[in-house]
């Protein structure tokens, strides 16, 4: 990079993107949103028992320092002065739970992990109460189920009505969220119990652990979280934007161990070590909220969909909490400043997206690499009346039908692997439409377009199909790192930093690829109604009853699959 180029870069902003399988540090130009450099480090999951998933908080912290150091080295090689980095944002895997000793800085137990991918990937089996055995052929790393008995115990003593938790938090009582994991730690780990008794324990999600450690740890580290991460704990009142005393009493969690709740965009503290010592940490967002911000979905009714193993959908509902009648979650989207208003979102997931491509590769062998599916689908340009419903372990939102199983129907003697590949891509799009239709029914805001990101969006056939099936434009940013970008935007826009403008007219520098519907509305509706007919055919294949209790345990699990 030439010196003249260096001179016009302007202020830079870094972002820590801490996920379940890797940590990254990325540096952006605050004026153009251009990604200048980044570094990634893989991190391990640990499986001390079947159905348990843990991570080492110290390894996560060390990976952050390593990524920062390596990225700064790369910037130096590009002749970019790291003193231009004016702020750092943090985006993190949500719900993963850490408890540590504020006097020693040592974790009191491994982090109890969240799912490995954004959105449901491989559904856990519909199993009898007390079991934590994944379905045959599934990955035990997807979900930590140790808290199942904790949830069963808590559910028996919910005060008042069953909406006690959901009405305050927007979340169902499930094994997924942090409060239940923290309750399990308090019940089962003596080191945690003792530290709480001696007033030494601090609790947080990954963002809290990182910010506390990076701002000094035992030497004055800031114990805080932001509203988006707090809203995933089941201890946070999304109306008052405060920890809820009744919820803490219900879960038996002492409020003094909880982090201070801050906005998503303000200076929390300064880096106390490493190449960026003295740089403020001034942005914090849970990963899906960060992607919403990175996609610039700031208007009521704007939605983004992240296409990965599953799909993860968020729809901005503005200043209003919208509670779903279709199995979606209500969550805090962002609050970009102490004095700025809070925005909420409806949240839902497609359970099987990229997972169906891997199924075609690994189980049927009709493709050798995931990228081949686009080539096969392009060869025919149609499913030739073939429809694929990937209900491998039942249907999730908006059906919640455990008896369903995957089907491929509409086959003729002319159907070949290309048509099946095309139908698999269509299945991802049809499922996305079903979730977005549910969101529309809940909040009454029809979408004008859908913002997209994630690995599958490189498939142009998929993106065009999505536009055709939704019958609205699909808009994909040319810079795919939307999660990290959202954290950087929040950090750069913070009061006291002020190097990143969030005004709409200043955000136009981010270029977009736009896919317009290429079929007429009638054809779109015919294809969608035929898909729904196929979905009906998939139902009623199996009976899922717990032999011990006779209860449909699918209902117990359905909330888990809804979230990432």
């Amino acid at each position: 990079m030439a010196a003249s180029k260096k001179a016009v870069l302007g202020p830079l902003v870094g972002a820590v993107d801490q996920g379940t399988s890797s940590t990254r540090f990325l540096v952006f130009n605050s004026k153009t949103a251009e990604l200048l450099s980044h570094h990634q480090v893989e991190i391990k999951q640990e499986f001390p028992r079947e159905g348990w998933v843990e991570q080492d908080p110290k390894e996560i912290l060390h990976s952050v320092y390593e990524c920062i150091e390596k990225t700064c080295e790369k910037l130096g090689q590009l002749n970019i002065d790291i003193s231009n980095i004016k702020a750092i944002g943090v985006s993190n895997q949500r719900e993963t739970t850490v408890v540590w000793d504020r006097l020693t800085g040592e974790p009191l137990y491994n982090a109890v992990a969240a799912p490995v991918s954004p959105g449901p990937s491989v559904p856990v089996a519909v199993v009898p109460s007390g079991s934590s055995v994944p379905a045959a052929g599934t990955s035990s790393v997807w979900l930590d189920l140790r808290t199942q008995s904790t949830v069963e115990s808590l559910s028996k003593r919910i005060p008042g009505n069953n909406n006690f938790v959901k009405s305050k938090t927007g979340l169902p009582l499930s094994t997924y969220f942090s409060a239940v994991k923290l309750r399990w730690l308090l019940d089962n780990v003596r080191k945690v119990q003792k530290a709480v008794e001696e007033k030494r324990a601090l609790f947080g999600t990954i963002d809290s652990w990182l910010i506390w450690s990076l701002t000094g740890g035992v030497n004055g580290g800031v114990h805080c979280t932001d509203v988006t991460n707090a809203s995933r704990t089941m201890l946070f009142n999304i109306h008052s934007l405060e920890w809820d005393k009744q919820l803490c009493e219900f879960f038996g969690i002492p409020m003094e161990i909880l982090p201070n709740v801050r906005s998503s965009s303000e200076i929390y503290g300064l880096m106390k070590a490493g190449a960026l010592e003295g740089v403020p940490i001034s942005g914090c967002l849970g990963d899906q909220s960060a992607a919403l911000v990175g996609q610039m979905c700031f208007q009521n009714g704007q939605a983004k969909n992240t296409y990965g193993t599953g799909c993860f959908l968020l729809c901005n509902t503005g200043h209003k909490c919208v509670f779903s009648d279709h199995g979606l979650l209500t969550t805090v989207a962002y609050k970009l400043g102490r004095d700025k208003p809070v925005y909420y979102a409806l949240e839902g997931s497609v359970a099987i997206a990229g997972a169906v491509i891997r199924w075609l590769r690994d189980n049927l062998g009709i493709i050798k690499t995931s990228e081949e599916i686009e080539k096969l689908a392009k060869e025919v340009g149609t499913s030739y009346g073939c429809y694929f419903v990937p209900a491998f372990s039942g249907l999730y939102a908006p059906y919640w039908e455990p008896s369903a199983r995957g089907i491929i129907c509409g086959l003729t003697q002319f159907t070949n692997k290309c048509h099946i590949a095309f139908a698999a891509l269509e299945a991802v799009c049809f499922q996305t439409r079903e979730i977005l239709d549910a969101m529309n029914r809940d909040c009454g805001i029809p979408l004008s377009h859908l913002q997209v990101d994630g690995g599958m969006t490189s498939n142009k056939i998929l993106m065009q199909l999505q536009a055709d099936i939704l019958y609205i434009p699909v808009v994909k940013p040319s810079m795919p790192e939307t999660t990290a970008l959202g954290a950087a935007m929040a950090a750069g826009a913070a009061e006291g930093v002020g190097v990143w403008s969030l005004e709409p007219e200043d955000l136009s520098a981010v270029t977009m690829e736009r896919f317009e519907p290429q079929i007429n509305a009638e054809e779109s509706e015919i294809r969608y109604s035929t898909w729904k007919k196929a979905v009906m055919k998939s139902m009623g294949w199996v009976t899922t009853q717990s032999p011990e209790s006779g209860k449909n345990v699918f209902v117990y699990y359905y909330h888990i699959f809804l979230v990432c």
Side-chain angles (χ1 to χ4, degrees):
M1 186 172 287
S4 59
K5 178 68 173 174
K6 174 184 171 183
V8 298
L9 278 178
L12 311 180
V13 180
V16 174
D17 183 7
Q18 205 298 300
T20 49
S21 58
S22 71
T23 299
R24 300 185 302 159
F25 185 69
L26 306 91
V27 174
F28 296 91
N29 183 331
S30 66
K31 300 305 179 188
T32 64
E34 177 191 3
L35 175 61
L36 300 176
S37 187
H38 75 282
H39 188 77
Q40 178 170 328
V41 172
E42 299 299 316
I43 56 175
K44 296 190 294 287
Q45 284 93 33
E46 300 179 18
F47 315 109
R49 294 189 195 176
E50 183 68 42
W52 291 26
V53 189
E54 298 177 1
Q55 293 179 303
D56 181 353
K58 293 179 77 173
E59 181 193 1
I60 291 173
L61 177 60
H62 292 154
S63 72
V64 171
Y65 278 119
E66 181 180 348
C67 286
I68 290 173
E69 298 297 320
K70 295 291 187 184
T71 302
C72 288
E73 288 175 14
K74 292 177 181 179
L75 289 171
Q77 292 164 6
L78 294 169
N79 199 27
I80 297 173
D81 189 346
I82 63 170
S83 67
N84 286 335
I85 298 175
K86 304 302 182 185
I88 296 170
V90 175
S91 167
N92 59 287
Q93 49 172 305
R94 304 178 298 175
E95 293 92 16
T96 295
T97 302
V98 188
V99 182
W100 67 96
D101 189 319
R102 66 179 178 84
L103 300 181
T104 67
E106 291 294 313
L108 295 164
Y109 190 80
N110 272 346
V112 182
V116 174
S117 61
S121 52
V122 185
V124 71
V126 179
V127 293
S129 175
S131 172
S132 60
V133 180
T138 66
S139 169
S140 64
V141 304
W142 185 74
L143 186 66
D144 189 300
L145 286 174
R146 76 187 71 191
T147 54
Q148 180 182 336
S149 61
T150 306
V151 167
E152 290 171 349
S153 174
L154 288 166
S155 65
K156 292 173 183 173
R157 55 183 187 86
I158 291 178
N161 60 61
N162 288 335
N163 284 327
F164 168 71
V165 174
K166 187 174 181 181
S167 64
K168 289 172 175 283
T169 68
L171 310 173
L173 179 62
S174 89
T175 63
Y176 188 83
F177 303 105
S178 302
V180 174
K181 296 173 185 177
L182 181 53
R183 183 65 259 160
W184 185 91
L185 290 169
L186 289 167
D187 289 339
N188 293 278
V189 181
R190 180 57 191 152
K191 280 178 70 175
V192 174
Q193 296 165 354
K194 196 167 186 291
V196 169
E197 291 163 5
E198 297 174 359
K199 312 293 186 186
R200 293 183 287 109
L202 295 178
F203 152 79
T205 42
I206 291 294
D207 59 303
S208 297
W209 163 245
L210 292 179
I211 292 173
W212 184 83
S213 300
L214 296 172
T215 57
V218 296
N219 298 310
V222 179
H223 187 216
C224 70
T225 189
D226 91 300
V227 289
T228 68
N229 282 292
S231 75
R232 310 298 292 190
T233 62
M234 267 194 318
L235 298 170
F236 185 71
N237 190 310
I238 61 174
H239 309 286
S240 66
L241 302 183
E242 295 174 339
W243 298 121
D244 190 282
K245 186 178 179 182
Q246 282 185 310
L247 287 168
C248 289
E249 289 173 352
F250 172 65
F251 287 103
I253 291 170
M255 296 185 76
E256 62 266 20
I257 74 173
L258 303 178
N260 292 318
V261 182
R262 312 275 285 272
S263 76
S264 307
S265 177
E266 60 179 275
I267 295 175
Y268 312 113
L270 306 180
M271 288 283 292
K272 287 298 170 66
L276 297 181
E277 183 176 355
V279 175
I281 299 174
S282 53
C284 181
L285 290 153
D287 52 8
Q288 298 304 324
S289 286
L292 193 74
V293 171
Q295 286 275 31
M296 299 162 203
C297 294
F298 295 129
Q299 300 300 315
N300 193 352
Q302 286 187 309
K304 71 91 190 168
N305 192 20
T306 299
Y307 294 76
T309 303
C311 289
F312 206 102
L313 294 95
L314 264 75
C315 179
N316 188 329
T317 62
H319 307 310
K320 181 182 177 184
C321 279
V322 176
F323 287 89
S324 175
D325 294 322
H326 303 92
L328 308 179
L329 301 182
T330 305
T331 197
V332 174
Y334 53 82
K335 186 178 189 294
L336 295 175
R338 281 178 292 188
D339 301 322
K340 297 293 176 66
V342 64
Y343 282 76
Y344 296 95
L346 271 176
E347 196 173 299
S349 294
V350 169
I352 306 292
V356 77
I357 313 304
R358 285 203 292 274
W359 183 82
L360 292 176
R361 181 192 68 193
D362 299 341
N363 292 41
L364 294 194
I366 68 172
I367 52 175
K368 289 188 172 65
T369 66
S370 297
E371 291 72 28
E372 282 182 40
I373 195 166
E374 183 173 11
K375 181 182 176 184
L376 288 183
K378 192 174 183 179
E379 281 184 31
V380 287
T382 175
S383 68
Y384 199 74
C386 173
Y387 285 80
F388 188 167
V389 182
F392 295 146
S393 292
L395 288 166
Y396 300 98
Y399 298 102
W400 305 119
E401 180 51 66
S403 70
R405 285 297 177 268
I407 63 168
I408 301 174
C409 58
L411 301 176
T412 73
Q413 70 268 36
F414 298 109
T415 307
N416 61 35
K417 66 180 182 180
C418 296
H419 300 116
I420 292 173
F422 195 97
L425 295 180
E426 278 192 315
V428 176
C429 302
F430 287 129
Q431 290 177 100
T432 297
R433 173 160 176 183
E434 290 185 314
I435 297 292
L436 289 175
D437 281 357
M439 286 183 170
N440 185 36
R441 290 194 295 272
D442 282 327
C443 62
I445 309 169
L447 289 180
S448 60
H449 65 277
L450 177 67
Q451 316 265 115
V452 299
D453 57 70
M456 291 184 77
T457 61
S458 61
N459 187 322
K460 293 185 182 296
I461 298 287
L462 176 70
M463 293 295 95
Q464 186 57 55
L465 280 171
Q466 190 67 86
D468 291 344
I469 288 165
L470 294 178
Y471 207 66
I472 57 174
V474 167
V475 180
K476 174 191 169 186
S478 57
M479 202 288 295
E481 303 293 351
T482 54
T483 301
L485 178 61
M489 290 166 64
E495 183 180 352
V497 178
V499 299
W500 204 307
S501 172
L502 298 182
E503 295 300 320
E505 62 269 20
D506 297 325
L507 296 172
S508 58
V510 179
T511 58
M512 301 282 186
E513 186 175 5
R514 191 176 177 94
F515 296 85
E516 298 282 350
Q518 292 184 353
I519 62 175
N520 61 47
E522 184 181 5
E523 183 182 346
S524 178
E525 288 306 313
I526 290 171
R527 286 161 67 174
Y528 185 46
S529 63
T530 310
W531 156 264
K532 285 184 167 292
K533 193 166 146 185
V535 170
M536 294 300 112
K537 300 284 187 188
S538 76
M539 295 183 186
W541 285 92
V542 294
T543 302
T544 49
Q545 294 286 319
S546 165
E548 295 176 6
S549 65
K551 292 180 180 177
N552 184 341
V553 294
F554 180 92
V555 175
Y556 173 78
Y557 285 115
Y558 85 86
H559 295 296
I560 300 171
F561 302 123
L562 207 53
V563 291
C564 100

